[in-house]
C-alpha cells in the first residue's frame, strides 16, 4: 500500500524488517523449552497485576452487587477519580456549548467480563442506551476484538467501529474532514454505504495469522487456554487456566514471540495480547476518528472515552494531555489511571449513557421553548 510522503508511517522505522512471505509452509511446533524464570516471573507479575479480582461482580448472573461504602481503599481512590455519575453536573457544565463525541470500549465496559469471551454479550438495555446515545452524539466503539466480531456483538449500524485496538477502523465519510490520511481507503459498510476504512497494520495480517496458528498449536495442551485471531492482533486468554499453568502459558507465548521481533505482547485482563510493533493504539484511534468525523482541532468538541482496560489508558492519556475531554475508567477496584473520572461497572456505564441522553433531550426541549 502506498504511503504519502507527508505522513509518517505508523510502523516504527527502526524495527522495519523485510516483509515475511505471505505464504507460510509449516507451523513450527515449539518444543516446550526450559522455563526461563527471569522472564516468566516478569510476565507473571504483569499477568497478575493486569488481572485484578472483580470482587464486586457476580459474573454469571450478569448482576452487580451494590457498592460497599465501607470499602475505604475504594472510597479514597474515588477522591482522585470521582464518580462520573456524581460529577455529571460538572462534566456537562463544560459541555454545554460543545459537541460531545462518545468513545466506548466493549468488554468490561458495555458487556460484563465472562469466562468465555464468545459469550460476552451486552444486555438489550445497554444496547438501547448506546443506540440512544448515538442518536444525539457521534459515537464509536473501540475494542481489542476484531471489528467484525465487535459489530456482531453490538449490532448497531448508527456507530463507528474500531477493532484490533484501533488498527481496523470503519468511519463515516465526512464533508468536514480531509480524507488524505495514509492507509485510508474508501470501502463499504454492512449496509453498502461508502465509508472510510483505515488499517495501518494491514501488512501484518499474514504474520498474525501464522502466529495465531502457532499459538493454537502450542497451547492446546494447556487446559482452559483460548487463542483468538483478531486479524491485526491475536490474544491468549488464561481466565480459565489454573494458576499453576500460568508460567507454562507465559513461557510458550514468550518462546513464540522470540521469532517475531516485529510483534510485541501486552497485558490485558487475564489475556496476553500479541500486537504489531507499530506506533498506533486506542489513543491514536480516537485522534483519527475525531479527524475523520471533522471534530479535531476544535475548541467546541468534548470527547468522552469510557473504558476499563490497560489499553484504554492510551486514549485517556490523549484526552488528558490535550486537555480535550474526559476519560472515564470502569473499575471496581482502585488502580492508577490517566482517566479523570470513574464508574464502578457496566450498570453505571449504562446509567451514565442514559443520563447523558436525558440531559441532551431536556436541553433541546429548553432550547425549543426559548425560541
Ligand atoms: Mg475492556
Amino acid at each position: 500500500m502506498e504511503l504519502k510522503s507527508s505522513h509518517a508511517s505508523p510502523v516504527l522505522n527502526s524495527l522495519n524488517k523485510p516483509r515475511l512471505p505471505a505464504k507460510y509452509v509449516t507451523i513450527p511446533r515449539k518444543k516446550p523449552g526450559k522455563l526461563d524464570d527471569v522472564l516468566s516471573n516478569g510476565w507473571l507479575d504483569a499477568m497478575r497485576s493486569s488481572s485484578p479480582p472483580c470482587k464486586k461482580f457476580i459474573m454469571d448472573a450478569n448482576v452487580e452487587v451494590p457498592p460497599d461504602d465501607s470499602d475505604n481503599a475504594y472510597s479514597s481512590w474515588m477522591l482522585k477519580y470521582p464518580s462520573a455519575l456524581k460529577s455529571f453536573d460538572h462534566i456537562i457544565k463544560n459541555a454545554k456549548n460543545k459537541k460531545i463525541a462518545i468513545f466506548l470500549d466493549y468488554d468490561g465496559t458495555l458487556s460484563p467480563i465472562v469466562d468465555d469471551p464468545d459469550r460476552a454479550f451486552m444486555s438489550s438495555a445497554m444496547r438501547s442506551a448506546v443506540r440512544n446515545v448515538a442518536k444525539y452524539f457521534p459515537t464509536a466503539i473501540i475494542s481489542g476484538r476484531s471489528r467484525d466480531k465487535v459489530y456482531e456483538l453490538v449490532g448497531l449500524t448508527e456507530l463507528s467501529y474500531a477493532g484490533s485496538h484501533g488498527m481496523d477502523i470503519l468511519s463515516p465519510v465526512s464533508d468536514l474532514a480531509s480524507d488524505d490520511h495514509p492507509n485510508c481507503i474508501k470501502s463499504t459498510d454492512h449496509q453498502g454505504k461508502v465509508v472510510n476504512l483505515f488499517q495501518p497494520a494491514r501488512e501484518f495480517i499474514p504474520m498474525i495469522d501464522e502466529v495465531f496458528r502457532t499459538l493454537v498449536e502450542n497451547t492446546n495442551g494447556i487446559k482452559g487456554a483460548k487463542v483468538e485471531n483478531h486479524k491485526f492482533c491475536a490474544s491468549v486468554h488464561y481466565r480459565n487456566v489454573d494458576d499453576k499453568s500460568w508460567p507454562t502459558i507465559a513461557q510458550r507465548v514468550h518462546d513464540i514471540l522470540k521469532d517475531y521481533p516485529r510483534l510485541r505482547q501486552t497485558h490485558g485482563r487475564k489475556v496476553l495480547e500479541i500486537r504489531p510493533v507499530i506506533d498506533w493504539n486506542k489513543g491514536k484511534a480516537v485522534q483519527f476518528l475525531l479527524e475523520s468525523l471533522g471534530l479535531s482541532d476544535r475548541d467546541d468538541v468534548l470527547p468522552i472515552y469510557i473504558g476499563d482496560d490497560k489499553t484504554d489508558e492510551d486514549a485517556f492519556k490523549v484526552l488528558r494531555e490535550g486537555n480535550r475531554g474526559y476519560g472515564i475508567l470502569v473499575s471496581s477496584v482502585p488502580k492508577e489511571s490517566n482517566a479523570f473520572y470513574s464508574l464502578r461497572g457496566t450498570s453505571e456505564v449504562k446509567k451514565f449513557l442514559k443520563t447523558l441522553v436525558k440531559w441532551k433531550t431536556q436541553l433541546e426541549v429548553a432550547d425549543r421553548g426559548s425560541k
Side-chain angles (χ1 to χ4, degrees), residues 101 121 213 243 333:
F121 303 122
R213 286 180 288 133
D243 291 20
V333 291

Side-chain angles (χ1 to χ4, degrees), residues 104-111 113 142-144 165 269 282 305-312 330:
L104 302 162
D105 168 48
Y106 181 76
D107 290 88
T109 299
L110 300 180
S111 77
I113 298 288
I142 306 182
S143 169
H165 300 291
R269 275 214 280 191
K282 286 186 170 185
Y305 187 107
I306 311 178
D308 73 315
D309 219 333
K310 219 170 174 178
T311 56
D312 298 310
V330 183

Side-chain angles (χ1 to χ4, degrees), residues 32-69:
K34 268 208 260 168
L35 213 60
D36 183 335
D37 286 327
V38 178
L39 281 161
S40 286
N41 284 342
W43 275 36
L44 276 175
D45 287 346
M47 284 162 86
R48 288 188 182 113
S49 66
S50 305
S51 310
C54 300
K55 59 180 178 175
K56 303 293 180 198
F57 294 110
I58 300 171
M59 297 296 182
D60 294 336
N62 189 13
V63 168
E64 288 162 33
V65 172
D68 173 5
D69 287 332

Side-chain angles (χ1 to χ4, degrees), residues 219-330:
T219 58
N220 68 6
I222 303 172
K223 199 177 164 208
K226 185 178 170 81
V227 186
E228 284 188 305
N229 185 348
H230 305 301
K231 197 168 177 178
F232 299 95
C233 51
S235 57
V236 182
H237 295 266
Y238 55 92
R239 177 168 300 280
N240 298 323
V241 174
D242 192 284
D243 291 20
K244 291 192 193 84
S245 297
W246 286 18
T248 313
I249 211 162
Q251 193 63 44
R252 298 267 171 96
V253 175
H254 178 258
D255 285 347
I256 291 165
L257 286 190
K258 274 183 192 163
D259 295 337
Y260 296 92
R262 297 182 72 204
L263 298 180
R264 69 188 166 111
Q265 177 272 327
T266 56
H267 295 272
R269 275 214 280 191
K270 294 198 176 165
V271 60
L272 296 170
E273 297 185 290
I274 290 93
R275 303 160 66 171
V277 180
I278 68 167
D279 185 18
W280 197 263
N281 53 43
K282 286 186 170 185
K284 300 248 178 174
V286 167
Q287 287 174 313
F288 175 85
L289 279 161
L290 285 170
E291 211 174 292
S292 111
L293 294 163
L295 301 175
S296 64
D297 301 325
R298 283 172 50 175
D299 292 336
D300 61 344
V301 172
L302 185 87
I304 294 177
Y305 187 107
I306 311 178
D308 73 315
D309 219 333
K310 219 170 174 178
T311 56
D312 298 310
E313 290 295 329
D314 293 315
F316 296 153
K317 202 169 167 195
V318 160
L319 299 187
R320 181 180 277 274
E321 287 179 352
N323 201 19
R324 300 165 71 174
Y326 298 120
I328 301 176
L329 175 69
V330 183

